Amino acid sequence: MAILLSLGRFTLGRAVGVGFAKINGISLIRRTMHLQQNQAFVNGKWVGARSGETFEITNPANEQVIGTVPDMDVDDVNEAIGSAYDAFYDKGWHNSTAKERAALLKKWFHLLEINRQEIARIMTAESGKPIAESLGEISYGNSFVEWFAEEARRIYGEIVPTPQANRQMMLVKQPVGVAGLITPWNFPHAMITRKASAAIAAGCTVVIKPAEDTPLTALALTKLAEEAGFPKGVFNVITSSRKNAASIGELLCKSEKVAAISFTGSTEVGRLLYKQCSDGIKRIGLELGGNAPFIVFSSADLDKAVTGAMNSKFRNCGQTCISANRFLIQDEIHDEFIARLTEKIKALKIGDGSHDGVQIGPLINHSQVNKVTEFVEDAKQKGAHVVYGGHQLSQHGALFFEPTIITHLRDDMRLYKEEIFGPVVSVIRFKTEEEALQIANASQRGLAGYFYSNDLNQVFRVSKLLETGMIGINEGLISSAEAAFGGIKESGIGREGSKYGIDEYVYIKYLCYGSLE
Ligand code: NAP
């Protein structure tokens, strides 16, 4: 049954069509909107940079300009921080109830669901992601908003049994205040909702800085947050080009009005932000780069392992932080696994992500193309075997790279040691479980790992010994709002999603009621 969704007193502007969504089994119809914005959002208003500067966003599939947004600097960001601070303290957001926050997040979630097609169009245009993957990311990203809308009402404290009869001891959780959120281009929607909905559920206000390459998706989400009715100053988004990213990051880390930083991106930038937060002993959550091992033991179901390898490696053209980065394949099944995987790789459909059936789009920018090309050339020169691919695909566009499989990796090759962030399968052959674990753990990164085995004892042993924050066991796609996402070692601190995602944005206050009679 289709019903018209009623979202209380809010009204939609600039409706363009009819959107359908099924939410919790209920079909909804609602007018959809044009969501592409060309201004940032501060204190409930759409604004340009004070300097008047803008920068262009291009489609990586054809390098055509698809929009412009304000190139904001520290003056603009100071204003956004001030508005988030005032909204939290002076305008009373810190006194909002969990029920009110949950209701706003639910409204936002419904609007995000209904406008999936328009958000996906924008995301594919600015990130190059195939449209089916954009829709997949939207489901994933929206699920955080729904999840944290639900979690908002379960941020429980504790009453602690006291050692003295005349005392009562309570632990309550309070929002930290303003949260500065810095996000990357590879998941332009989900990295924002995973942070912002947890922060808002906890009772914080937010200042979001999306990546230079993908601000349009961020602004589309913001348009819907505005429609959902968050009070002025609770939700702020500032856009900037790469030249201003470092000074904005430093301001967010050092401003006394910002209580917490949450960053997703490279380990190099994460390390810098961590240092910048140290002066003010500022709380920081870091979701950083990975170097995921993908181990296939000889007892594995090879069909499942090949499917898992394709899912883990080629999603978003290999540009995900949990993409399999080093394939470790046991000696006895090595050749068979490579043969089956190569057949699947050859069948991938490459092209502009907005076209039907495309599975591999372009890389995000020239610097990514140069990096992937350099890694492959380095491996070739040092004696690796290219089984398939290994070149740029200029017939599709300047940013396309061929899905590639390379064997005979050695530990002096960059492909072996560093995060590739591209459509390249690099394979290491191993003989024993101990050897596989030694290779897998010989990395300072520890975000995700994967292994395939049908030996129950081995499954338990390897799960315990693999040094990563997340493990896919006979599974290549592991992300979910219900799961705790995060790494160990240099892959980060803190967890996002799950019930633990809220902890990044609350502190525990201990209340001791004494002298009770
Ligand atoms: P990045 O260069 O670190 O950029 C991430 C964000 O930080 C962007 O908004 C960027 O702005 C901003 N930034 C750059 N330099 C900064 C500075 N000095 N101070 C403050 N902010 C700064 O990373 P990326 O290349 O966009 O993303 C790829 C990396 O992210 C990979 O290593 C990947 O593994 C990691 N990642 C991790 C996760 C996770 O959950 N663990 C998820 C996705 C991606 P500009 O765009 O304007 O430069």
Side-chain angles (χ1 to χ4, degrees):
M1 180 186 57
I3 59 165
L4 195 64
L5 175 67
S6 164
L7 292 175
R9 58 194 161 75
F10 91 103
T11 51
L12 287 176
R14 294 193 298 153
V16 293
V18 176
F20 295 88
K22 199 160 193 182
I23 300 167
N24 300 332
I26 302 171
S27 297
L28 305 166
I29 306 174
R30 181 83 222 185
R31 280 188 210 282
T32 55
M33 301 167 64
H34 282 302
L35 295 177
Q36 188 165 327
Q37 305 297 311
N38 59 8
Q39 291 190 303
F41 192 69
V42 174
N43 201 22
K45 293 197 194 82
W46 293 94
V47 293
R50 286 179 181 197
S51 65
E53 302 247 328
T54 59
F55 66 98
E56 292 176 339
I57 322 305
T58 54
N59 181 337
N62 52 28
E63 299 195 272
Q64 293 192 346
V65 175
I66 52 170
T68 58
V69 295
D71 194 356
M72 294 179 136
D73 60 23
V74 286
D75 288 340
D76 301 293
V77 179
N78 244 328
E79 188 176 332
I81 293 171
S83 85
Y85 189 83
D86 291 347
F88 183 80
Y89 288 103
D90 300 342
K91 297 186 188 144
W93 182 250
H94 70 285
N95 279 330
S96 60
T97 65
K99 187 170 176 174
E100 286 162 352
R101 299 194 299 273
L104 285 165
L105 286 166
K106 278 184 206 157
K107 277 188 186 175
W108 191 29
F109 168 68
H110 288 141
L111 289 163
L112 289 165
E113 281 291 300
I114 288 156
N115 287 278
R116 305 164 53 82
Q117 297 295 338
E118 171 69 350
I119 303 170
R121 184 192 66 74
I122 292 171
M123 192 190 298
T124 290
E126 70 176 350
S127 74
K129 203 172 267 206
I131 198 84
E133 285 196 33
S134 292
L135 288 164
E137 178 180 342
I138 290 162
S139 297
Y140 176 54
N142 293 358
S143 73
F144 288 105
V145 184
E146 183 183 41
W147 171 261
F148 285 115
E150 292 159 352
E151 284 297 291
R153 300 185 68 182
R154 300 185 227 301
I155 305 175
Y156 299 125
E158 289 172 40
I159 295 175
V160 181
T162 164
Q164 286 101 350
N166 64 347
R167 284 191 178 186
Q168 184 66 269
M169 294 163 65
M170 284 166 66
L171 308 179
V172 294
K173 291 187 181 171
Q174 292 194 194
V176 293
V178 177
L181 314 178
I182 304 175
T183 57
W185 46 263
N186 62 344
F187 286 92
H189 176 310
M191 295 304 97
I192 290 177
T193 53
R194 194 162 80 178
K195 295 179 191 305
S197 49
I200 290 171
C204 295
T205 56
V206 298
V207 177
I208 304 168
K209 192 213 95 59
E212 178 194 72
D213 292 307
T214 56
L216 297 177
T217 304
L219 295 176
L221 308 185
T222 307
K223 181 70 191 157
L224 296 172
E226 180 191 25
E227 295 293 337
F230 290 104
K232 284 181 182 167
V234 168
F235 194 102
N236 303 277
V237 177
I238 46 114
T239 52
S240 86
S241 72
R242 208 150 272 144
K243 75 175 159 53
N244 290 329
S247 52
I248 289 173
E250 185 173 7
L251 173 64
L252 286 167
C253 290
K254 295 195 169 167
S255 168
E256 290 183 359
K257 290 185 173 176
V258 177
I261 295 291
S262 177
F263 171 77
T264 296
S266 61
T267 295
E268 294 66 34
V269 174
R271 188 175 280 120
L272 174 71
L273 299 181
Y274 200 7
K275 282 186 191 144
Q276 288 173 351
C277 282
S278 68
D279 280 350
I281 320 291
K282 187 163 296 177
R283 179 190 280 239
I284 183 165
L286 297 170
E287 296 286 350
L288 307 178
N291 184 359
F294 187 105
I295 309 172
V296 186
F297 291 104
S298 53
S299 69
D301 178 322
L302 275 200
D303 284 336
K304 286 184 185 162
V306 168
T307 303
M310 293 299 291
N311 287 338
S312 170
K313 180 73 243 183
F314 291 103
R315 198 161 55 109
N316 200 15
C317 202
Q319 301 172 112
T320 90
C321 52
I322 56 171
S323 287
N325 206 52
R326 294 168 292 159
F327 286 78
L328 285 82
I329 313 298
Q330 198 152 18
D331 199 29
E332 301 88 314
I333 52 157
H334 178 275
D335 295 351
E336 177 67 17
F337 179 83
I338 301 299
R340 291 201 206 178
L341 190 63
T342 305
E343 285 314 304
K344 295 272 186 203
I345 291 173
K346 284 181 181 168
L348 286 169
K349 186 170 174 194
I350 302 161
D352 181 329
S354 64
H355 298 164
D356 273 353
V358 165
Q359 294 161 297
I360 296 284
L363 292 165
I364 187 72
N365 54 34
H366 285 276
S367 119
Q368 276 297 119
V369 175
N370 294 342
K371 182 181 163 193
V372 173
T373 308
E374 278 166 30
F375 276 30
V376 169
E377 288 307 313
D378 168 75
K380 278 191 208 165
Q381 277 167 20
K382 290 175 180 159
H385 295 187
V386 178
V387 178
Y388 181 77
H391 305 100
Q392 288 181 36
L393 287 173
S394 44
Q395 66 271 32
H396 288 284
L399 302 181
F400 285 82
F401 198 94
E402 204 170 7
T404 295
I405 178 162
I406 299 185
T407 58
H408 295 74
L409 249 67
R410 284 202 327 248
D411 60 5
D412 60 340
M413 297 172 184
R414 296 186 70 188
L415 269 184
Y416 188 101
K417 293 182 289 203
E418 297 175 45
E419 190 182 23
I420 304 162
F421 243 53
V424 180
V425 174
S426 45
V427 183
I428 302 160
R429 189 175 197 136
F430 71 90
K431 287 206 160 66
T432 65
E433 181 185 304
E434 293 70 28
E435 185 190 359
L437 281 166
Q438 188 273 323
I439 295 169
N441 290 338
S443 168
Q444 278 315 304
R445 303 288 174 86
L447 191 59
Y450 307 84
F451 69 90
Y452 281 72
S453 168
N454 276 337
D455 172 343
L456 189 61
N457 292 317
Q458 181 171 56
V459 165
F460 275 86
R461 270 195 313 273
V462 176
S463 303
K464 190 170 176 191
L465 294 174
L466 199 56
E467 294 171 3
T468 59
M470 299 171 279
I471 304 183
I473 302 152
N474 297 324
E475 180 56 62
L477 291 173
I478 59 174
S479 300
S480 148
E482 291 78 3
F485 193 103
I488 59 171
K489 298 182 174 174
E490 292 180 6
S491 288
I493 45 179
R495 291 293 179 268
E496 292 191 335
S498 77
K499 66 175 182 176
Y500 300 105
I502 296 276
D503 292 349
E504 305 291 317
Y505 303 99
V506 293
Y507 65 90
I508 294 173
K509 184 180 272 181
Y510 161 45
L511 306 176
C512 178
Y513 298 91
S515 310
L516 298 175
E517 293 172 7

